[in-house]
Structures are given as C-alpha cells and as structure tokens.
C-alpha cells in the first residue's frame, strides 16, 4: 500500500441546521509516498479544514481519513498523538514558535517527546537547525529576535525533528516576502525529493502551486481540479548561500 | 429597542466569549473583597465592642477614682471625695466577675451601684427609681440576689424577667434573680450585654469584698473646672488612689489598645492589599489577554476614548458583581475570626471582650468594596490605556512577540547580597551574647527581602530536575515559566510569605508556650491542683477566683497533707507582676524549685514566707540586687521590702515580677481571693482517692475543678495556645490566599499561553502531558514557595525571639520548633498549590487546538 494519506468520501460540516457550513463535501483523495501536492483555491473553500483532518486535529463529519495505514477515526486519542508526533510535521503560516524559550529549545522539545535526551538531543537539534539554514548565532536567541524568514526555518526544523513521513504546511509563505517565500519552497521541494517525504502545501500563490508534482484545486469543499504537474524549477531560482549547501 | 436594552445587548455580546474568564474574575474579586472586608469588619466590630464597654461604663462621669494597679479600695474615702470643692456628686461602684453555669462559662460582669443613692441614679439611669423598669423596688433591695440585666442578656440566654439563674463567684455558686431589665442603651451596651447590675451592698457580700469599691465616679458642679476639681479630689486622697479625668482615661485606654490595634491594622491592611492585588492581577490578566483585540478594534476606527469607556463600563459591572457577592462572604468570614481575636484581646488586656455578633458596619465594608472596585478598575484601565496610547499597529505586533527581558546586573547583585546579609545577621543574632533590637529588626527585614529575591533563581534551579523527573517535553513549559515567571513568581512569592507567616506565628507561639509552662510549672509541683471550675480560657489575673475560705476546707479532707494557694495580681508605678503564695509553699521543698540565682540570702524563702522580704525577677533594664529595697504601689498604699533573692520562676509582667507571701498581699490588696490551690497528699494515700473526696464534698458548693498535678502543664500550655488562637485564623487565611494565588496565577499562565499550548498539541504533545506539565509547574511553585517559606519563617523566628522579644519583654525564651509543624506547613503549601493547579491543568488539556490556532 503506497498511499500515505487516503481521504475516503470525507465530509466536514460546521454547525448544524440552517446556519451550517459545508467545509468539505465528499472529498476523495489518495496521496502516495513521495508526492508534493499543492492545494489551492479561494478563501473559505476548505483548505485548512483538509489539513486539520489529515493531522487528526479534528474529526470528519462522515468518511474516513487514513494516515500511514491507520484509520484516524478508529484510533484512541493517545494513538493519534503518537501518529502526529512521529509521522506528521506541521509548518504554520504564523510560525507559532514558543516565544519564551530559545530557538534551540523550540526544536529540541519534540526530540525529547520521542525520548531523545541530553547530548544526542542537542546534536540532532544542531543538525536540524543547520540543515534548515538557521544561522548558528541565532540558536540561543529568542524567536522574537529573528526575522520572519528565519523564524519559519526554525518552524521547518521543528517540523522535521521527528523525521516525519508527512509535512503539512498551511500557507507557510503567507508571512514572508517573495525572496523568503522562494527559499522556503525550494527547501520543501528538496526535502520532498531527498527524503521522499509527502508534502501537502496549502497556498494562494499560483507560483508556489507549480512547485509541486501535483496540484489540486478546491472550491466550496469539493475537489474541482486534480492535475499532475511535471517537476519544474520555480520561475526565479535564488541561489542558497547556506554553507552546507555547497558540499551537500 | 430602547437604549438600555441595546447597551445591555452590546455588553453581553462583548462578555460572552470571555465568560469563563470573567466568571473566574468575579469569583476572585469576591474572595478578595471577602478577605479584606472580613478582617476589617472583625477589627471594627471588636474595636467598637471594646469602646462601647469603656464608654458605657463611664456613663456621664467626668472624673474617675480607682486604685493604682487595679483592685478594690476602702469605701470610706467616699465622704472625703464628696466634701471636695467642685464635686457635684460622687457614685461608688464595685465591679467584679462571675461566671454563668453554661458550657462556655460565659463571664458575667457584675456592676454594683448604690441603689439608694441619688448620684448613682443620675449617673447610670438604671436604678429602682430610674428608668430601668424595676418591677418592685422594695423587693429588689430586700432580696440579696436581685439583678438588673440588659435586654440582650435575656434574649441570648432565653430568660425572662423574674427568672433566676446560677452564677459562679469566688465564694461558689449564687442564685441571681432578674428583677429589672435595661433597655439597650447606656450601660446596657457594655460587655456585649453580659452584664448584671446589683446593689452595692449586696454585691460586696456576693463578691467577697466587704466595704470596698473598685471605682468612684464623679460629676463636677455646674460651671466648675473639671481639671481643678480632679486636682482638689487628688489633694484629699491618699497616694495609692488614682484620680483621672474620663477624657484622659479614654485616651489612655485607647493607647493601651494601640499596640494591639497596630497588629490588627497591619493584618487588615495586608488583607486589603492582598485582596486588591489578587483582584488587580485577575482583571489585568483578563484584559491584557484582549489587548490584541483592542488594537484591532482601534485600527478599525474606534476612538480611544470610546474603547476605554466601553472597557471600563464592562470592568465596572464585573467588579461590582464580584464585590456584591464578596460582601456577604466578608461578614461570614468576620464572624469566623472574631472569636479567636476576642480571646486574644481578652488575654492581652485582662479586660473581657466578649466575642460579639458581627453586624454589618458600613465603614469597613465600604472600604473593602471601594478597594475592590478601584483595584479592579485600575487593573482594567491599564491595558486599555496602554493599548490606546501606542499605535494600533504596534499593539497588534507586540501581542505576537513575547520575548523575555534580560535581568539587570543590579538585580543579580541583589540576589547575592541580600541572602548573604540575612545569613550574616542571623549568625550574629545567634552568636552574640545579648543582641540588640536593631540587629533583630534588620534581620527581620533582610530575611524577608532575601526570600523574595531568591524565588526566581530557585524556580529555575528546580525546573530542570523536575522536568527530568516528569520527562517528555515538560522541560519546555517549565523553562518557559522560570524565564518569564511573572505568574509563577507571583504564586511562589505569595506561597512563601504565607508559609513563612504560619511557621513564624507557630514557632513564636510554641516558644512562648514552652517558656511560660517551663517557668511556671517548675515551682508548682504537687499531687493535685484545685481551681475554679469556671476556668475556661484565661490565665493569671483574668482567671476566675476562689475565696480563701476554701483552703481550710480542702485542708480538712482526709489524706491531705498541705494545701498551698497562689494568686496573681499587679502593682503600679512601675507596673509589676505580683505572685502571692501561701507561706507554707515557700517552706516545703516538695513544691518545686524557685530557681534562685547565686547570691541569695541563705534564709531567703523563709524571710519571704514571714512577709519580711520579696523575691524579684526583673528584666535587665530594671536592675535590682539582693538586699536592695523594692517599692510597690498597692491599692492601700506603698509597700516596701528588701529583695531576699533573685528568682526565675515566674513570667507575669514583662516589667518584672515580685513574689511575696499571700498574707502580705491580702492585707495590702484587700483581696482575700486566690487563683489556685496546690495539694500534697499524705504518704501512701493515693491522690486519686483524695481527688474524689474533694469532688464529692466540696466541688459542687464551691464550683471546683480538681486535676492531677501533672495535668497543670497541659492546662497552662493550652491557655497560652488560646491566646495565640489568632495564629489559627492567620494560618487559615494564608492557606486560602495561597490556594487562590496559585490557582489564579497558573490559570492566567495557561490562558496567556493558549496559543503555545495549542501549538504543542498540534505538534504531538498529548493533553495528559500538558496536564502533567501544569501540575509540574505548580509542584515547582509549591516546592520553592514552601521551602523558602520555611527558611524565611525560621529566620524571622530567630530574629524575633533573639532580637525583639528580649528587648520588649525581657524574656530569654528559647526558640522551640516543631518538625511536625514545619513538615505540615510545607506539605500543605505544596498541596494548596497543586490543588490550585487542578483547574488550570484541566483547562490546559481541554484547549481546542483547531480553534486556538484558527485566530491568527
Ligand atoms: N470552527 C468553525 N466553525 C464554523 N465554521 C468554520 C469553522 N472552521 C471553518 N469554518 C468554515 O468552513 C469553511 C472552510 O474553512 P477553511 O478554514 O478550511 O477555509 P480555507 O480554505 O482554509 O480558507 P483561507 O484560504 O481563508 O484560509 C469556511 O466557510 C469557514 O467559514
Ligand atoms: Mg486556511
């Protein structure tokens, strides 16, 4: 079974009766390993709802969500956390870093959750931050002292801490300038290619959309377009000046 | 829709999303107001009860005569007083105490006036011919047990005019009959209604003070100068009688109350402060949380004035509801603490203050309400004002970045200097032979300040190991707390001071108890102790007395070898404690050791027994040597005797005590009563059998209590403990505050971090782990707060017992510490803080991730 994520006739309704909103309407979706999928559509069409259901943060009104072979609806609360911890990484539009602890601690706590301690946790944190391109000078600073782009890179490092098979990103470029946005997208694509990680990217940006190997478009809770796009470079390629990039 | 309906609707829409926050705020405000109002109200109630008694007793008198140092004096001086120039009339008065035969042994103040004397009629408006509604004046005067009681007394004891009841006096039980009722004004207000008015001559019999009075009240002639009249009276009276203008007396009483009042005022003020702080913190959190929203509303065009106005209206409503709920709780709380406080006051003033029924007084309640309202409004106003002051965009941006401020170098230095200073002063206090009060005061302050500065580093220190202990990602949350520990710091500091107060009060109470018991029982060894069964909680001078006739009767019981009695009193100029003992006590070594210091005359005890000398126990500031003469002012004039020895077996008065023969005392104080008898039984006779015999033959008639000699220490100890009953009230208060403080601080920190918590959950942190994290925070707060509290409390105890007490009381009481109490205080502190964390923990686990993250 190569599909890492399966949505089977998933419907999500908010509220009930007259004022109810149908956020997702019988969505069927199968995402195989290694796919980079861009989810697009106008505001309010159900993109965030879709991600929340995949992450198990919310339950569908009907239908099934299967992640890494597990039907989320049949799992206990504990098991869901386990899945979210080990198999899913989330990158937020507004970064959502813990503001009062250092950048390094922001990444390390997830390692501690999976049982990594002491030196091992520190080394792995360093590797993650380095890989994400966070300058070493920033590791002991607080998130508030970093630029938006840097913060988002910390967010990516945090999401990748437990080496997940799925990365969910809800408009991760929404708060970045165009340069920062392009760097991030490129990084995501590299991750997708190098680790065969499923990336689900929600975006408004048509440029961002074409980064993926597949793009779907939602409207009023339905998938109205689902196309495979040939892997292409992003329109403007910005060279990375990260040190490890040169040897990696 | 009408305007008020629209306004209400708008308000409700604003309030609804924050309903849980706001209801928490209301609860907290109610408690804050209850705390402040309760203590203020209890204070006010006791104050006015005391004042009422003083005022009511003074009646219309302008000048009062009493014996210096208290006690009864000869009635005969009345003639001379009446003849003095300027005196319109002078009324003799005898005051004494009897005890009701109820479970609480309620003291009944007996006030005896000359019912046939015109002057008394005018002064007290409470005589057969006055307004007291006596049914039959002739019957009243012809029957010995006639009394007039206030209406309140009848109501409280479910009695009616014409009923009789039993009261216990020094001479045993007497039957008193109600033959008149005082309406509740004038003298009827005194002693919370536990008062009986008698005829002077009947009372002299009943109380056992023939031809004696305790007071003469004088009204000056129309137009006569009061001060001049007082001087004229003074001129015709012997030195041992004190003539005082009532106004001055009132002032003196007020100032004697000042120390206690200061203590009260301090407790009330700190409760007020604490209440205000809790309220301000709560509302501040509630509104601080909404600053982002405020910035938004403003950026959408609401004017600053309008925003502030709306927020303040809301805060006013919320606070007003809290205050309205808090006031009834305040009254209940006041009722709870007024009992222990009255006991403490009675023991401290040797003046019965009956625990009155708390009535809602406007003053204290208004003050508490005002404090609640204003602290609530200020707390709400600050965030609103700040958000209107800065640009809307900044507010929006600022709400996101919550980067911790680095600690200043000065503060780091303070964290080193203060603890070092505290440690140094304590070491000095313990090491130096006779440390001064300044060092003691310095140590008190340094210890408190050091504790406060240590809270934050200690929280940090504890967080690491605790995080390891609990495991997982707890560390992040704990780190988070210890780095910007505003809330946790507040909670731990509140806990620390609460714990410290409990430890301090308990330590000092225990040390006093140990000191008093050790000192007083050393010389009171006996097989049996016999005293009045009315003995409920007073000790020393306030204790119910027995007539000396009982000594001989006990002596006649089969199996009794010796009976010795003692009585505690005081002399004036300077105030001195008097312990008068039966001569045989001084002659028989079985009664114990007087702890005479070196240099005593060889036959010291025998000379005291003969009435030729004193034993003295004076503080360092009143040095006296063997052979020197001590002069005491007694109710019948000065009394001088040489000191035969310095003893260390009494602690009646901080100014010094004198031990003398009871024969000498009886003569000079005109007092034939005793506090207590100490019985030695014959060789081979079981003490229990003698006790039974005393009970059977004498107990009922005299109203006696018989206990084995060994039980005396416990009785003394429990009397001292009752004097410190205020400690229990304070402990309760501290516990409550700690509970509230941690609950609020942790709830606030959970709310503040809703978004962070939601993020953690989205990234794989389980609710169980989050709950555990909040509890771990509480444990850290509890652990640090309790531990520092114990240290601060111990430091305060040492500083107080070594530095302040010797200065104030001249006692060198050793510090007594109970490990059980320390452990209990620490455990209760930790438990209170964990209990306070329960709700926030549940809340942290229940945060709805999707929604919390939705509002970006
Ligand atoms: N908790 C909720 N309660 C009620 N309705 C909701 C809730 N969450 C989402 N909706 C509704 O469901 C629909 C889909 O919302 P969703 O957040 O998934 O949209 P989106 O595609 O992410 O939009 P955007 O691009 O603006 O982020 C919207 O109409 C929204 O109003
Ligand atoms: Mg969205």
């Amino acid at each position: 079974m190569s599909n890492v994520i399966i949505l089977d006739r998933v419907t999500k309704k908010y509220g009930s009766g007259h004022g109810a909103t149908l956020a997702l309407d019988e969505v069927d979706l199968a995402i195989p390993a290694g796919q980079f999928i861009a989810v697009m559509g106008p505001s309010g069409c159900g993109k965030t709802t879709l991600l929340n259901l995949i992450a198990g943060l919310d339950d569908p009104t009907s239908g099934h969500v299967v992640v890494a072979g597990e039907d989320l609806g049949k799992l206990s609360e504990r098991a869901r956390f386990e899945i979210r911890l080990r198999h899913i990484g989330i990158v937020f539009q507004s970064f959502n870093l813990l503001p009062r602890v250092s950048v390094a601690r922001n990444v390390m706590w997830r390692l501690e959750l999976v049982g990594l301690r002491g030196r091992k946790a520190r080394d792995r944190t360093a590797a993650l931050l380095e890989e994400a391109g966070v300058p070493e000078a920033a590791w002991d600073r607080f998130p508030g002292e970093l630029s938006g782009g840097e913060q988002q890179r910390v967010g990516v490092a945090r999401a990748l801490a437990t080496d997940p098979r799925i990365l969910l990103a809800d408009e991760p470029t929404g708060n970045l300038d165009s340069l920062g946005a392009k760097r991030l997208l490129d990084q995501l694509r590299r991750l997708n290619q190098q680790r065969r990680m499923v990336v689900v990217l929600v975006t408004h940006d048509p440029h961002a959309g074409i980064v993926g190997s597949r793009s779907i478009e939602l409207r009023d809770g339905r998938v109205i377009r689902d196309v495979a796009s040939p892997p292409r470079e992003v329109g403007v390629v910005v060279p990375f000046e990260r040190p490890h990039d040169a040897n990696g | 829709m009408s305007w008020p309906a629209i306004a209400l609707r708008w308000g409700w829409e604003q309030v609804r999303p924050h309903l849980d926050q706001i209801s928490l705020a209301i609860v907290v405000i109610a408690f804050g107001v209850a705390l402040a109002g309760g203590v203020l109200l209890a204070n006010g109630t006791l104050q006015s009860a005391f004042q009422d008694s003083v005022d009511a007793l003074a009646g219309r008198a302008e000048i009062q005569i009493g014996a210096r140092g208290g006690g009864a004096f000869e009635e005969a001086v009345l003639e001379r007083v009446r003849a003095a120039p300027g005196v319109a009339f002078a009324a003799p008065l005898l005051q004494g105490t009897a005890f009701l035969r109820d479970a609480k042994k309620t003291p009944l103040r007996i006030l005896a006036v000359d019912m046939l004397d015109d002057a008394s009629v005018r002064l007290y408006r409470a005589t057969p011919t006055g307004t007291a509604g006596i049914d039959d004046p002739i019957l009243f005067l012809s029957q010995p047990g006639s009394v007039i009681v206030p209406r309140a007394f009848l109501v409280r004891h479910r009695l009616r005019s014409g009923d009789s009841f039993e009261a216990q006096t020094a001479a045993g039980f007497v039957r008193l009959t109600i033959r008149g009722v005082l309406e509740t004004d004038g003298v009827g207000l005194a002693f919370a209604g536990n008062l009986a008015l008698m005829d002077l001559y009947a009372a002299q019999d009943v109380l056992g003070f023939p031809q004696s009075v305790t007071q003469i009240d004088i009204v000056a002639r129309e137009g006569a100068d009061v001060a001049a009249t007082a001087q004229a009276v003074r001129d015709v009276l012997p030195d041992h009688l004190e003539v005082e203008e009532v106004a001055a007396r009132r002032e003196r009483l007020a100032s004697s109350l000042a120390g206690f009042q200061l203590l009260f005022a301090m407790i009330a003020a700190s409760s007020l402060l604490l209440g205000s702080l809790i309220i301000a913190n709560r509302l501040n959190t509630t509104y601080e949380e909404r600053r982002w929203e405020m910035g938004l509303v403003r950026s959408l065009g609401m004017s600053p004035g309008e925003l502030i106005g709306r927020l303040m209206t809301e805060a006013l409503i919320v606070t007003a509801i809290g205050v309205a709920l808090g006031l009834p709780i305040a009254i209940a709380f006041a009722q709870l603490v007024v009992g222990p406080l009255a006991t403490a006051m009675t023991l401290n003033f040797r003046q019965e203050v009956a625990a009155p029924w708390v009535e809602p007084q406007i003053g204290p309640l208004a003050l508490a309400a005002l404090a609640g309202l204003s602290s609530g409004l200020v707390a709400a106003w600050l965030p609103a004002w700040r958000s209107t002051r800065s640009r809307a965009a900044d507010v929006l941006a600022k709400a996101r970045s919550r980067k911790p401020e680095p600690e200043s170098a000065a503060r780091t230095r303070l964290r080193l200097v203060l603890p070092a200073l505290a440690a140094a002063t304590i070491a000095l206090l313990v090491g130096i032979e006779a440390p001064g009060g300044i060092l003691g005061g310095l140590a008190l302050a340094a210890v408190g300040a050091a504790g406060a500065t240590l809270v934050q580093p200690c929280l940090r220190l504890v967080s690491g190991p605790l995080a390891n202990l609990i495991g997982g990602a707890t560390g992040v949350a704990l780190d988070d707390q210890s780095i910007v520990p505003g809330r946790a710091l507040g909670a731990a500091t509140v806990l620390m001071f609460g714990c410290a107060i409990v430890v301090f009060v308990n330590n000092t109470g225990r040390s006093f108890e140990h000191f008093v018991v050790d000192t007083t029982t050393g010389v009171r060894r006996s097989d049996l102790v016999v005293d009045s069964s009315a003995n409920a909680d007073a000790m020393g001078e306030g204790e119910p007395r027995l007539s000396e006739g009982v000594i001989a009767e006990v002596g006649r019981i089969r199996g009794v070898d010796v009976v010795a009695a003692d009585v505690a009193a005081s002399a004036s100029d300077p105030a001195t404690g008097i312990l008068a003992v039966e001569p045989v006590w001084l002659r028989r070594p079985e009664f114990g050791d007087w702890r005479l210091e070196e240099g005593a005359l060889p036959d010291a005890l025998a000379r005291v027994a003969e009435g030729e000398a004193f034993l003295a126990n004076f503080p360092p500031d009143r040095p006296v040597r063997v052979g020197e003469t001590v002069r005491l002012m007694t109710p019948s004039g000065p009394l001088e005797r040489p000191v035969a020895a310095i003893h260390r077996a009494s602690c009646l008065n901080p100014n010094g005590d004198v031990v003398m023969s009871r024969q000498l005392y009886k003569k000079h104080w005109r007092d034939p009563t005793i506090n207590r008898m100490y019985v030695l039984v014959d060789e081979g006779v079981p003490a229990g059998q003698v006790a039974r015999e005393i009970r059977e033959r004498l107990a009922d008639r005299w109203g006696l209590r018989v206990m084995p000699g060994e039980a005396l220490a416990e009785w003394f100890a429990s009397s001292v403990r009752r004097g410190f009953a205020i400690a229990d009230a304070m402990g309760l208060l501290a516990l409550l505050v700690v509970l509230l403080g941690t609950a609020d601080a942790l709830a606030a920190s959970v709310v503040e971090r809703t978004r962070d918590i939601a993020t953690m959950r989205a990234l794989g942190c389980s609710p169980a782990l989050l709950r555990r994290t909040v509890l771990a925070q509480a444990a850290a707060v509890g652990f640090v707060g309790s531990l520092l509290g114990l240290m601060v409390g111990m430091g305060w105890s040492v500083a107080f017992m070594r530095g302040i007490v010797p200065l104030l009381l001249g006692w060198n009481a050793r510090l007594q510490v109970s490990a059980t109490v320390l452990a209990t205080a620490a455990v209760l502190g930790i438990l209170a803080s964990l209990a306070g964390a329960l709700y926030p923990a549940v809340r942290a686990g229940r945060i709805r991730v999707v929604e919390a993250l939705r509002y970006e």
Side-chain angles (χ1 to χ4, degrees):
Chain A
M1 207 184 72
S2 63
N3 283 333
V4 180
I5 301 169
I6 300 167
L7 271 74
D8 177 18
R9 301 182 58 145
V10 167
T11 296
K12 177 71 188 178
K13 216 192 236 175
Y14 288 108
S16 59
H18 193 63
T21 316
L22 198 56
L24 289 179
D25 187 5
E26 307 227 321
V27 170
D28 283 312
L29 194 64
I31 307 176
Q35 202 163 53
F36 190 127
I37 180 167
V39 180
M40 291 186 290
S43 183
C45 66
K47 306 182 292 289
T48 299
T49 305
L50 184 77
L51 286 201
N52 284 344
L53 292 179
I54 294 173
L57 293 173
D58 214 346
D59 291 314
T61 311
S62 66
H64 300 277
V65 180
V66 180
V67 172
E70 304 275 4
D71 184 344
L72 292 185
K74 290 184 182 142
L75 291 183
S76 67
E77 189 70 6
R78 247 207 100 66
R80 270 203 222 186
F81 275 101
E82 206 57 28
I83 291 214
R84 212 180 297 150
L85 181 60
R86 300 196 183 261
H87 297 307
I88 299 176
I90 304 181
V91 178
F92 301 91
Q93 175 175 358
S94 51
F95 324 135
N96 285 349
L97 299 175
L98 301 178
R100 299 183 195 88
V101 295
S102 69
V103 161
R105 286 292 267 152
N106 257 290
V107 174
M108 196 147 73
W109 69 265
R110 292 196 75 219
L111 295 173
E112 286 167 349
L113 269 189
V114 294
L116 232 55
R117 288 286 172 95
R119 240 213 115 65
K120 271 193 196 151
R122 278 198 299 280
D123 288 349
R124 175 112 175 90
T125 304
L128 282 162
L129 285 169
E130 203 170 282
E131 189 189 346
V134 182
E136 193 166 346
W139 295 359
D140 287 326
R141 302 227 296 266
F142 293 98
E145 299 169 318
L146 270 51
S147 75
E150 285 167 331
Q151 288 193 52
Q152 194 57 297
R153 274 178 244 160
V154 178
V156 171
R158 176 176 67 180
L160 297 179
T162 56
D163 206 1
R165 296 166 67 181
I166 302 165
L167 188 74
L168 304 177
D170 194 349
E171 298 184 43
T173 58
N175 280 333
L176 302 181
D177 59 13
S178 60
L179 189 72
K182 275 161 195 151
R183 282 185 189 171
L184 184 77
L185 291 177
D186 199 66
Q187 186 185 12
L188 292 183
R189 206 174 56 167
R190 256 184 337 97
L191 285 167
N192 164 251
Q193 284 167 359
Q194 288 170 1
R195 302 194 184 187
R196 281 182 59 71
M197 186 189 294
V198 170
V199 176
V200 183
L201 171 74
V202 167
T203 179
H204 272 307
D205 179 2
H207 286 295
I210 52 174
V211 185
S213 49
R214 173 183 178 188
S215 68
I216 64 171
E217 196 173 333
L218 286 176
R219 185 153 304 169
D220 296 332
R222 289 166 188 270
V223 180
I224 57 160
R225 209 160 62 97
D226 184 347
V227 293
S229 47
R232 269 203 285 155
E233 285 300 321
V234 186
V236 186
V237 179
V238 179
F240 281 94
E241 62 273 27
R242 289 191 321 251
H244 77 274
D245 234 22
N247 20 319
Chain B
M1 249 195 283
S2 65
W3 184 86
I6 296 175
L8 264 181
R9 173 103 188 246
W10 188 87
W12 173 242
E13 274 163 8
Q14 291 300 300
V15 164
R16 197 173 44 191
H18 312 286
L19 208 56
D20 55 343
Q21 276 294 295
I22 284 178
S23 40
L24 183 62
I26 288 177
V27 169
V28 170
I29 291 167
F31 268 102
V33 169
L35 184 69
V39 175
L40 284 174
L41 191 58
N43 186 12
T45 303
L46 282 176
Q47 258 2 299
S48 59
F50 190 82
Q51 211 57 51
D52 279 356
S53 297
V54 171
D55 285 351
L57 280 180
R60 282 178 52 221
E62 291 162 318
I63 300 166
Q64 289 185 337
I65 302 173
R68 285 181 201 276
F73 57 93
E74 62 281 16
E75 189 184 28
V77 297
L78 192 61
E79 292 314 312
R80 267 185 274 167
V81 173
R82 283 182 170 149
V87 174
F89 38 80
L93 195 69
L94 178 67
Q95 289 192 55
T97 307
F99 296 85
L100 296 182
R101 213 172 187 177
D102 57 7
K104 281 205 303 197
K105 309 268 164 69
T106 311
L108 175 70
R109 187 50 84 109
I110 291 182
L111 207 64
V113 297
D114 185 350
M115 294 283 180
L116 290 177
D117 175 43
D118 207 33
S120 307
V121 176
R122 289 186 208 185
L123 269 174
Y124 307 109
R125 293 184 295 140
T127 55
T129 51
T131 57
I134 288 186
D135 312 329
D136 185 345
I138 308 297
L139 186 68
F140 185 93
L141 289 174
S142 62
Q143 299 295 313
S146 302
V147 291
I148 306 172
V149 295
R151 173 78 56 201
F153 181 84
L154 292 186
V155 174
R156 181 158 325 136
H157 301 283
R158 299 213 180 83
L159 291 167
R160 276 187 307 174
S161 186
D163 286 353
S164 29
F165 59 94
E166 282 213 314
Q168 189 171 358
T169 68
F173 289 103
V174 291
R175 181 152 280 279
L176 301 176
T177 307
I178 302 168
R179 294 220 160 83
V181 180
L182 277 176
E183 292 313 326
T184 322
D185 63 339
V187 77
L189 282 174
F191 306 111
N194 285 318
L195 169 85
L197 225 55
M198 287 185 84
D199 180 58
L200 181 63
Y201 303 100
Q204 284 175 343
D205 269 0
V206 167
L207 296 174
F209 286 96
Q211 277 143 45
S212 299
V213 294
T214 52
Q215 190 176 321
I216 297 176
D217 286 354
I218 300 170
V219 174
R221 230 182 276 276
E222 192 79 45
D225 179 37
V226 175
T229 309
Q231 192 51 50
V233 172
R234 219 167 272 136
D235 288 342
V236 299
L237 289 181
D239 237 12
H240 65 273
L241 295 183
E242 195 171 37
V243 180
E244 216 177 358
E245 290 169 53
V246 168
R249 179 183 153 79
R250 211 173 267 149
E251 240 163 66
R252 188 170 54 82
L253 275 175
S255 76
S256 80
L257 213 59
F260 201 68
Q261 218 164 6
L262 186 73
L263 182 71
F264 253 23
M266 266 171 60
I267 296 177
S270 49
S271 314
L272 201 65
L273 191 78
L274 243 128
S276 306
L277 265 179
I278 294 176
I279 291 171
N281 180 47
R282 178 68 261 165
L283 274 186
N284 190 265
T285 315
T286 309
Y287 289 103
E288 199 63 60
E289 224 178 285
R290 282 160 59 183
R291 272 187 70 194
W292 185 77
E293 191 185 310
M294 295 176 201
L296 194 68
V297 186
R298 266 199 60 212
S299 65
L300 295 178
M302 190 182 274
S303 78
E306 200 175 345
L307 177 64
I308 291 192
R310 291 196 171 179
L311 282 172
M312 296 312 281
T313 313
E314 184 195 312
L316 187 69
I317 293 171
V318 168
T319 323
I321 295 175
V323 168
L325 289 177
L327 291 180
I329 311 178
I331 296 171
F333 183 59
Q335 193 61 62
L336 194 74
V337 295
V338 86
L341 287 180
T343 308
M345 209 155 149
T346 304
L347 292 183
N348 284 314
F349 294 105
R350 314 212 155 111
Q351 160 98 279
E352 291 108 56
V353 180
W357 188 248
V358 173
E359 273 168 22
Q361 294 179 343
I362 297 294
L365 290 179
L367 193 58
L370 197 72
L373 275 178
S374 50
S375 51
L377 288 182
V378 168
W381 181 73
L382 264 179
W385 180 75
R386 257 189 273 142
S387 77
T388 54
R389 277 265 311 214
S390 40
R391 290 186 309 128
D394 287 346
V395 177
L396 288 174
K398 199 95 168 253
R400 285 277 150 73
S401 132
R402 288 160 293 172
K403 159 182 120 201
E405 299 293 327
E407 184 173 295
S408 71
R411 186 177 277 195
T412 314
R413 239 173 287 136
L414 216 58
R415 289 195 203 288
L416 294 174
V417 171
L418 281 175
L421 183 70
T425 49
I426 291 291
L428 272 179
L429 273 176
V430 174
I432 289 181
E433 183 67 23
I438 296 178
L439 193 60
L442 187 67
L444 279 179
V447 165
T453 57
L454 281 177
V455 175
Q456 180 160 356
C458 285
L459 268 180
R460 264 189 219 188
L461 207 68
V462 164
S463 298
L466 204 69
N468 277 333
L469 210 69
I470 298 184
T474 331
V476 167
L478 286 170
D479 259 9
D480 195 17
Q481 148 178 303
S482 63
I483 291 168
V484 178
R487 308 287 172 202
L489 191 65
T493 311
V494 166
L495 174 57
M496 179 188 79
F497 280 121
C499 209
I501 288 174
V502 170
V503 167
F504 170 71
V505 172
N506 198 284
N507 275 350
T508 46
R510 187 172 294 271
S511 305
F512 279 131
E513 177 189 317
H514 182 267
F515 177 73
V516 169
V517 171
D518 181 59
T519 312
T520 50
T521 52
V523 74
R524 287 179 166 87
R525 308 256 159 74
S526 63
D527 297 316
L528 292 173
V529 174
V530 183
D531 61 2
S532 165
S533 60
N535 240 327
D537 47 30
M539 199 178 141
E541 281 186 75
E543 266 180 313
R545 301 290 181 86
L546 291 167
S547 274
E548 64 178 350
V550 72
I551 303 177
E553 295 203 21
V554 170
R556 279 196 290 274
I557 298 279
R558 219 165 354 108
V560 170
D561 179 9
V562 195
V563 184
D566 70 352
V567 57
S570 54
S572 61
D573 294 330
T576 306
I578 304 293
L579 177 64
V581 301
E582 218 61 35
V584 65
W585 184 340
L586 295 154
R587 297 204 176 96
R588 296 279 294 256
E590 294 97 315
F591 284 111
D593 179 10
W594 282 97
R595 300 186 189 172
L596 300 185
E597 303 231 311
E598 267 178 46
L601 299 182
D603 53 349
L605 294 178
R607 295 184 59 168
V608 175
E610 291 297 331
E612 290 165 7
F614 292 156
L615 299 180
N617 178 8
F618 285 2
D621 63 342
R622 193 181 168 190
V624 68
R625 261 176 311 196
V626 172
E628 275 177 19
T629 300
V630 169
R631 185 171 188 270
L632 300 172
M633 188 55 84
T634 77
S636 54
L639 169 64
E640 286 183 4
R641 290 289 184 276
V643 171
I646 308 293
H647 78 287
R648 295 287 176 233
S650 72
C651 50
L652 290 171
N653 195 310
N655 268 330
D657 294 344
V658 158
V659 174
M660 67 174 70
S661 134
R662 205 177 65 78
Q663 271 30 348
L664 198 60
Y665 166 81
K666 187 173 130 191
K667 194 166 127 220
H668 284 84
W669 270 259
R670 313 165 58 84
D671 177 10
T673 63
I674 57 166
N675 280 136
R676 191 175 277 104
M677 287 171 282
Y678 304 86
V679 177
L680 296 180
V681 301
D682 283 327
E683 197 71 48
V685 179
Q689 186 188 317
V690 177
R692 221 171 307 123
E693 192 120 344
I694 296 177
R695 276 192 204 106
E696 273 165 23
R697 311 236 324 245
L698 301 175
D700 242 20
R701 186 149 52 84
W702 286 93
L704 297 183
R705 178 174 69 160
V706 185
M707 60 179 151
E710 311 84 66
L712 187 67
E714 182 42 39
W715 159 246
F716 278 160
S718 69
S719 315
V720 180
R721 273 201 291 275
R722 273 189 292 269
F724 272 84
I726 194 170
D728 298 338
M730 281 180 68
L732 195 77
L733 208 85
L735 206 67
L736 203 76
V737 167
V738 164
L739 196 79
L740 217 70
T742 32
D744 190 48
L746 288 169
S749 91
V750 164
V751 166
E752 262 175 2
R753 294 183 308 179
T754 300
R755 196 177 181 78
D756 306 339
I757 291 172
T759 305
M760 289 179 75
R761 282 192 54 181
L763 292 171
C765 203
S766 69
L769 186 62
L770 283 168
R771 276 197 295 272
R772 245 186 299 155
T773 305
V774 174
L775 288 177
Q777 291 180 10
V781 164
F783 185 72
V784 168
S786 304
L787 212 71
L788 283 177
L790 295 192
M791 281 163 60
V792 169
M794 287 300 295
W796 278 351
S797 308
V798 171
F800 191 69
M801 295 309 286
R802 291 278 307 164
I804 310 282
V805 171
L807 193 79
L808 285 184
L809 300 180
W811 295 350
N812 258 318
R814 287 229 344 261
L815 181 61
Q816 299 291 325
V817 180
S818 150
T820 326
V821 169
L822 295 190
T824 313
V827 168
L828 279 183
I830 294 175
L831 284 184
S833 121
L834 283 177
L838 283 181
Y839 168 71
V842 168
R843 224 188 127 110
R846 284 221 190 113
I847 283 176
R848 311 259 326 238
V849 184
V850 178
E851 261 141 58
L853 291 177
R854 196 173 172 76
Y855 303 107
E856 298 218 326

